[in-house]
Amino acid sequence: MSIITVLLVDDHLVVRSGLKALLGTQPDIDVVAEASSGEEALAAVAEHSPDVVVMDLAMGPGMDGIEAIRKLRERNRKQAVLVFTTYDSDADIVRTVDAGAMGYLLKDAAPAEIFAAIRGAVQGKSVMSPPVASRLFQQLRNPDEVLTPREAELLSLLIEGLSNRELGQRLFISEATVKTHLAHIYAKLGVETRAAAIATAIRREGMR
């Protein structure tokens, strides 16, 4: 029997302890390490090379789960990461999938669902809690719902070819805030460049 090694990442000790005890009931799953922050998670992965990282999204000060997932995947594109969280907002789901997570489970998931997700991740399968899968499907059908009103407004202005300074002046916000909004837009749309975002905006306008 092949043993699946797991790293648990959550800033709440009680959550980690409970999940570790639960996973300990499975003969083919072994929790080899724990971490309470994104920074600790990166170090633990480097030391233990777990098959699967089970990670929360929000972990207090420092690196959050999404940034940690992104860095883990940059280091090793094959690293399997499952999100285990209470957060189920549209933005969180999209950003997590974009960062490279292979699964997204809510903390009220049934034990059998958690076990299946971990085993599936090792096989390269994406597993999501039913409510998350449903919302992601709706987001793909209606991508505008992912963006906040301000982000949608900024995206529409990109078509006009405005610079960051001009965007800030038009929206009465700083250039730094414009850059932050753009970073969120790129992440949600799954693009990396301004040109790609503009192309997406034009495509959406043509679909209306």
Side-chain angles (χ1 to χ4, degrees), residues 40-94:
E40 288 183 11
L42 296 180
V45 168
E47 179 179 355
H48 299 280
S49 299
D51 296 317
V52 181
V53 177
V54 179
M55 184 179 302
D56 195 2
L57 291 183
M59 292 180 286
M63 186 186 303
D64 66 7
I66 291 176
E67 181 62 22
I69 293 169
R70 188 172 289 111
K71 288 186 178 297
L72 286 175
R73 295 283 290 180
E74 287 174 354
R75 295 182 181 183
N76 179 7
R77 297 299 299 173
K78 295 183 179 180
Q79 179 63 63
V81 182
L82 290 176
V83 168
F84 187 63
T85 187
T86 57
Y87 296 89
D88 64 347
S89 73
D90 294 347
D92 286 327
I93 295 169
V94 171

Side-chain angles (χ1 to χ4, degrees), residues 65-142:
I66 291 176
E67 181 62 22
I69 293 169
R70 188 172 289 111
K71 288 186 178 297
L72 286 175
R73 295 283 290 180
E74 287 174 354
R75 295 182 181 183
N76 179 7
R77 297 299 299 173
K78 295 183 179 180
Q79 179 63 63
V81 182
L82 290 176
V83 168
F84 187 63
T85 187
T86 57
Y87 296 89
D88 64 347
S89 73
D90 294 347
D92 286 327
I93 295 169
V94 171
R95 290 175 62 212
T96 299
V97 173
D98 182 65
M102 296 190 66
Y104 198 114
L105 299 178
L106 300 180
K107 287 185 177 179
D108 61 358
E113 189 178 350
I114 298 172
F115 304 150
I118 290 175
R119 292 173 181 132
V122 174
Q123 300 171 12
K125 299 178 181 178
S126 295
V127 181
M128 294 189 179
S129 292
V132 174
S134 176
R135 293 183 67 169
L136 182 59
F137 179 69
Q138 287 299 117
Q139 291 159 12
L140 293 173
R141 291 183 60 191
N142 304 291

Side-chain angles (χ1 to χ4, degrees), residues 156-169:
S156 66
L157 290 176
L158 284 181
I159 301 175
E160 298 181 23
L162 302 182
S163 66
N164 285 356
R165 174 176 295 182
E166 290 169 332
L167 287 170
Q169 292 173 342

Side-chain angles (χ1 to χ4, degrees), residues 22-43:
L22 178 64
L23 296 179
T25 65
Q26 303 301 295
D28 61 332
I29 299 177
D30 180 26
V31 176
V32 296
E34 300 177 37
S36 61
S37 68
E39 290 83 358
E40 288 183 11
L42 296 180

